[in-house]
C-alpha cells in the first residue's frame, strides 16, 4: 500500500526492451535505497512494481505486457523522470490517502491553467463510464500523486496544484496531450458499485413484481 505522497523523482537511465516486455533502470537517491531489497514493492508513477535488481544505486523494474498496455510507462524514454514512493509501514503517518498502485486507465492532459502560486490541470478520461467514480472533492491518484478532485465535467476532471506539489513531482512538466496514470479511490469505487447493485436489484424486483 502507498499514500500518494511522492518521496522523490528520479530519471530513467536505461531501458532494455524485449517482445511485449521491458526493464527500466532508475538511479535512486540514498534515502530510498535504505533497506531496499529485490522483491520490494514501489509505486512507480503510481503503478505498483517489484524491484527486480539492485546494483549500487541503480534499481531495475520489469514491466509486463499488461502493465505496458494499461499504463503510460511504455511511452517513457531514457531521461524521463519518475514519481517514486516506497510502500508504507504500519507505524507511518498517512498524509495522502491509501493507494494500491493498481492503475485503472490513463488520462490525457486536456487543459493547463496557470496563475500566481498555483496551477489547475484538466484531464480527459477515455472511458466515460469511469467518471462515476470521480467526484468533486474526492480522492484520485495521478501518476502516483494523491490529489483532491476539483471540478468534474462530462469526461473531464480538474485538480489544483500548489507549488510544493509542482516542485516535488513530475506534474510541473506535463503538457497538453501528455498521458498520466489514474488510480481511482477504492472506497469510492466500492460504494458506487454497491449502490449500483442495490438499485439494479430493486429494479429487477419491480419488473418481476
Amino acid at each position: 500500500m502507498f499514500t500518494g505522497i511522492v518521496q522523490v523523482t528520479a530519471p530513467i537511465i536505461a531501458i532494455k526492451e524485449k517482445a511485449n516486455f521491458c526493464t527500466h533502470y532508475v538511479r535512486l537517491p540514498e534515502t530510498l535505497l535504505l533497506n531496499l531489497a529485490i522483491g520490494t514493492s514501489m509505486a512507480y508513477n503510481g503503478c505498483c512494481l517489484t524491484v527486480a535488481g539492485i546494483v549500487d544505486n541503480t534499481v531495475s523494474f520489469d514491466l509486463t505486457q499488461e502493465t505496458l498496455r494499461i499504463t503510460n510507462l511504455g511511452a517513457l524514454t531514457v531521461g524521463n523522470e519518475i514519481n517514486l514512493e516506497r510502500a508504507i509501514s504500519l507505524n507511518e503517518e498517512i498524509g495522502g490517502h491509501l493507494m494500491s498502485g493498481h492503475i485503472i486507465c490513463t488520462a490525457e492532459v486536456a487543459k493547463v491553467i496557470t496563475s500566481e502560486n498555483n496551477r489547475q490541470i484538466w484531464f480527459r478520461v477515455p472511458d466515460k463510464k469511469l467518471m462515476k467514480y470521480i467526484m468533486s472533492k474526492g480522492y484520485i491518484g495521478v501518476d502516483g500523486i494523491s490529489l483532491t478532485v476539483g471540478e468534474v465535467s462530462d469526461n473531464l476532471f480538474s485538480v489544483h496544484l500548489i507549488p510544493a506539489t509542482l516542485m516535488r513531482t513530475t506534474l510541473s512538466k506535463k503538457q497538453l496531450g501528455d498521458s498520466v496514470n489514474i488510480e481511482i479511490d477504492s472506497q469510492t469505487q466500492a460504494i458506487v458499485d454497491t449502490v449500483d447493485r442495490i438499485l439494479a436489484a430493486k429494479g429487477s424486483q419491480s419488473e418481476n413484481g
Side-chain angles (χ1 to χ4, degrees):
M1 299 295 291
F2 308 96
T3 67
I5 304 300
V6 173
Q7 294 172 291
V8 71
T9 62
I12 299 173
I13 61 171
I15 297 176
K16 184 181 293 183
E17 297 192 28
K18 298 180 180 179
N20 300 316
F21 184 92
C22 74
T23 301
H24 283 190
Y25 296 83
V26 180
R27 183 174 290 120
L28 297 188
E30 293 294 331
T31 53
L32 257 66
L33 288 169
L34 183 64
N35 298 323
L36 188 68
I38 293 174
T40 301
S41 294
M42 293 187 69
Y44 190 91
N45 264 11
C47 181
C48 181
L49 294 182
T50 300
V51 173
I54 305 172
V55 179
D56 296 326
N57 64 344
T58 298
V59 178
S60 61
F61 300 88
D62 291 333
L63 282 65
T64 65
Q65 181 178 9
E66 183 67 4
T67 300
L68 295 171
R69 184 183 69 84
I70 293 178
T71 73
N72 66 2
L73 300 182
L76 299 178
T77 59
V78 172
N80 286 153
E81 297 262 328
I82 298 293
N83 293 322
L84 294 165
E85 180 190 353
R86 293 279 300 269
I88 61 173
S89 61
L90 293 178
N91 62 346
E92 288 185 28
E93 177 181 344
I94 299 175
H97 74 281
L98 284 176
M99 296 170 61
S100 66
H102 298 160
I103 304 302
I104 193 168
C105 69
T106 58
E108 178 185 314
V109 176
K111 185 189 298 185
V112 179
I113 302 172
T114 302
S115 57
E116 187 175 3
N117 296 323
N118 66 80
R119 184 175 302 176
Q120 183 186 40
I121 301 182
W122 284 85
F123 299 97
R124 180 179 291 108
V125 176
D127 187 351
K128 194 173 180 179
K129 291 183 291 186
L130 296 175
M131 292 302 296
K132 65 181 179 180
Y133 303 121
I134 302 175
M135 305 175 186
S136 179
K137 308 309 177 188
Y139 292 121
I140 196 163
V142 178
D143 268 356
I145 308 160
S146 173
L147 296 171
T148 302
V149 177
E151 301 170 60
V152 177
S153 176
D154 195 37
N155 66 330
L156 299 165
F157 72 91
S158 70
V159 297
H160 296 269
L161 306 171
I162 61 174
T165 302
L166 293 171
M167 180 179 65
R168 291 170 57 91
T169 73
T170 60
L171 283 183
S172 62
K173 301 176 182 178
K174 293 299 179 184
Q175 300 178 356
L176 294 180
D178 283 351
S179 175
V180 295
N181 293 325
I182 298 296
E183 178 180 345
I184 59 175
D185 179 55
S186 58
Q187 295 185 27
T188 300
Q189 183 178 15
I191 293 170
V192 170
D193 287 346
T194 300
V195 171
D196 282 351
R197 284 195 296 270
I198 293 172
L199 293 177
K202 287 184 177 180
S204 178
Q205 291 173 1
S206 298
E207 292 175 0
N208 295 329

